[in-house]
Amino acid sequence: MTHKCKVLVVGGGVMGASVAWHLTQAGAAVTLIDQGPGSTPGVTAASFGWVGASASTPSDDPDAFALRLHALEEFKRLEQTLGAFPVTVRGALSWGATTDETAALIAEHLAAGSRIESVSAAQVRQKEPSLAVVPDLAMWAPDDFALEPVDLARCFIQAAQAGGATVLSGTVQRVLLEGGRVSGVELQEQDIHADKVVLANAYGALALAASAGVALPIEQQPAVLLRLDAERNLVRHLLCAQDLELRPGKGRGLMSALDYPLEGEAGLQSLAEQTCQSIAQLLQLPSVPPVLSLEVGQRPMTRNKQPLCGPIGTLDGLFAAVAHPGVILAPLLGRLCTQEVLAA
C-alpha cells in the first residue's frame, strides 16, 4: 500500500478510543467518529471502572476469566506507552458469607493464576477502618484498581489526536459500500470515505452492520451504577462483599455497581434505597447517604460471550470491536483489532 491506510472508527467510548489510538500508533490515518462534542456513549459513562479479576469467580466461565487475566497485563504496557492513566484507587478486598466460602474462593483464584493474598481480620480493619464488622478472612487483590472510564477514553482520544488522528462528531447513519467492499460511512447525510471501517460503538454496531448486510450476535444487558454522596476516604479500596460492589468516587462520594432489578425500571428506586441502607450498615454510618445519581448502562453482550474483534461478514474492509467488560478488555482488543485491520 503506497498511502497510509485510511480507517474510520465509529464510537468514542473506551473501546473505540483504544482502537483509534492503537491504529494511530501503528501508522494508519485515523478518523474517530464520536456522538458529540465532549460526550462518550452511555456504556462507558455508566461503567463501574473496576479493572481486575477478583470480583469474578474463575469457574463461572474459565475462558472469560483467563482472557480477563491476559487483558490486565495490557495495562502495564499501556502505562509504559501512554503514560499514567486516571486511577482512582488501588487494591480490592473481597469475602464471602462464611470463612469457608472465602477460603474456597481464594483457593480457586490461586489455582486460576490470580495474584491474590489471604488477609486476617486485623489486616482488613487496617485497610478499611470504617467497616462495621470485619470478616475473619478476606481476599486481597493488590493489582486490582478502579479508574474513571470516561477519563480513560479521553486519554486515548487525546493521544490519538496528538498522533494525527481526526475526531468528528455526529451520528453515523449507515455503512457505505462500493464494488463489494466497504468505502466509508454516511455521517449526518455526508459521505466520509475510508479504506476500512471499525464498528466500536457497542450495541450501536448492530444496526450499522445490518446496513451493510451483516448480522452481529450482540444484545443489550442493563446494569445499574449508583453514585452516593459521602466523605472522602470513607472507603479506601474496592470492596466486594455482602452482595455489594463498592468503591470511592472521583474526588469524593461512593459508587456501587448493581444488577438491574427483575421488576425493570419500576424497581430502580427500591433498589437504590435498599443499597443505601446496606452501605450505611456496612460502614456504620449515622444516616443513609444521599443519592447523587442512578444510571442504567446497556452493556453489549455477545451471545457466545466471546469478544468481537476483527473482520465481520464477508465484505472487505468491515471490522468490529465489541465486548464486555469493555473497560478491562479495551487495551487488549484495541491492539488485537489494529493487527487485524492492518493485516487485511
Side-chain angles (χ1 to χ4, degrees), residues 93-108:
L93 278 171
S94 307
W95 61 90
T98 66
T99 299
D100 287 346
E101 186 177 312
T102 303
L105 184 62
I106 291 171
E108 187 172 335

Side-chain angles (χ1 to χ4, degrees), residues 17 70 85 117 131 138 148 185 215 258 280 296 304 312 320 325 335:
H70 179 45
F85 37 83
E117 304 166 11
L131 290 173
E148 307 309 316
V185 300
L258 308 168
V296 177
N304 65 0
I312 53 174
R335 177 173 63 83

Side-chain angles (χ1 to χ4, degrees), residues 20-84:
W21 177 72
H22 280 89
L23 282 165
T24 302
Q25 288 283 102
V30 177
T31 298
L32 175 68
I33 302 178
D34 197 1
Q35 285 186 327
S39 70
T40 56
V43 67
T44 291
S47 297
F48 188 53
W50 185 329
V51 178
S54 66
S56 304
T57 303
S59 58
D60 286 348
D61 191 333
D63 291 340
F65 189 83
L67 178 63
R68 186 172 297 197
L69 287 182
H70 179 45
L72 295 179
E73 294 298 314
E74 291 289 316
F75 280 89
K76 298 176 183 177
R77 175 188 61 84
L78 180 66
E79 194 163 22
Q80 293 174 351
T81 309
L82 189 61

Side-chain angles (χ1 to χ4, degrees), residues 173-224:
Q173 277 85 30
R174 64 189 179 97
V175 174
L176 300 176
L177 306 177
E178 184 178 327
R181 66 167 289 116
V182 169
S183 61
V185 300
E186 181 183 336
L187 176 65
Q188 297 180 181
E189 301 181 356
Q190 178 185 2
D191 290 353
I192 309 293
H193 293 284
D195 300 310
K196 299 174 183 181
V197 173
V198 180
L199 304 179
N201 55 330
Y203 188 71
L206 187 71
L208 291 183
S211 74
V214 178
L216 293 182
I218 57 175
E219 53 195 27
Q220 294 188 111
Q221 185 179 99
V224 181

Side-chain angles (χ1 to χ4, degrees), residues 2-344:
T2 58
H3 68 286
K4 274 191 172 184
C5 181
K6 295 180 179 178
V7 186
L8 283 172
V9 180
V10 181
V14 69
M15 189 66 73
S18 174
V19 172
W21 177 72
H22 280 89
L23 282 165
T24 302
Q25 288 283 102
V30 177
T31 298
L32 175 68
I33 302 178
D34 197 1
Q35 285 186 327
S39 70
T40 56
V43 67
T44 291
S47 297
F48 188 53
W50 185 329
V51 178
S54 66
S56 304
T57 303
S59 58
D60 286 348
D61 191 333
D63 291 340
F65 189 83
L67 178 63
R68 186 172 297 197
L69 287 182
H70 179 45
L72 295 179
E73 294 298 314
E74 291 289 316
F75 280 89
K76 298 176 183 177
R77 175 188 61 84
L78 180 66
E79 194 163 22
Q80 293 174 351
T81 309
L82 189 61
F85 37 83
V87 172
T88 303
V89 66
R90 292 187 182 274
L93 278 171
S94 307
W95 61 90
T98 66
T99 299
D100 287 346
E101 186 177 312
T102 303
L105 184 62
I106 291 171
E108 187 172 335
H109 270 269
L110 288 173
S114 297
R115 195 174 87 87
I116 54 92
E117 304 166 11
S118 299
V119 290
S120 66
Q123 291 171 309
V124 172
R125 175 65 71 193
Q126 185 178 32
K127 293 179 184 299
E128 292 293 344
S130 295
L131 290 173
V133 178
V134 298
D136 292 330
L137 177 68
M139 182 170 73
W140 170 245
D143 297 333
D144 284 22
F145 59 91
L147 51 70
E148 307 309 316
V150 170
D151 290 347
L152 179 61
R154 287 175 181 154
C155 285
F156 277 128
I157 292 172
Q158 289 168 3
Q161 287 178 297
T166 299
V167 177
L168 301 178
S169 299
T171 302
V172 176
Q173 277 85 30
R174 64 189 179 97
V175 174
L176 300 176
L177 306 177
E178 184 178 327
R181 66 167 289 116
V182 169
S183 61
V185 300
E186 181 183 336
L187 176 65
Q188 297 180 181
E189 301 181 356
Q190 178 185 2
D191 290 353
I192 309 293
H193 293 284
D195 300 310
K196 299 174 183 181
V197 173
V198 180
L199 304 179
N201 55 330
Y203 188 71
L206 187 71
L208 291 183
S211 74
V214 178
L216 293 182
I218 57 175
E219 53 195 27
Q220 294 188 111
Q221 185 179 99
V224 181
L225 183 65
L226 180 64
R227 300 177 192 268
L228 308 175
D229 191 16
E231 294 181 6
R232 188 176 178 85
N233 292 328
L234 184 62
V235 169
R236 301 180 179 182
H237 304 90
L238 288 150
L239 295 181
C240 182
Q242 298 180 15
D243 296 324
L244 288 172
E245 287 189 12
L246 195 62
R247 75 167 177 91
K250 182 181 179 182
R252 66 175 278 124
L254 295 172
M255 297 171 61
S256 184
L258 308 168
D259 292 332
Y260 193 70
L262 295 176
E263 305 91 331
E265 186 177 349
L268 286 174
Q269 186 60 39
S270 175
L271 175 66
E273 292 173 355
Q274 292 173 9
T275 302
C276 288
Q277 291 174 358
S278 296
I279 292 172
Q281 293 172 1
L282 180 70
L283 302 176
Q284 55 187 357
L285 301 178
S287 60
V288 174
V291 174
L292 293 175
S293 66
L294 185 66
E295 304 169 64
V296 177
Q298 295 290 346
R299 299 174 294 186
M301 310 293 289
T302 58
R303 296 195 185 106
N304 65 0
K305 298 184 180 180
Q306 297 298 312
L308 287 177
C309 181
I312 53 174
T314 57
L315 291 168
D316 288 339
L318 187 59
F319 302 80
V322 178
H324 175 77
V327 174
I328 294 175
L329 297 178
L332 173 63
L333 297 189
R335 177 173 63 83
L336 296 180
C337 185
T338 291
Q339 294 173 356
E340 294 279 356
V341 169
L342 298 183

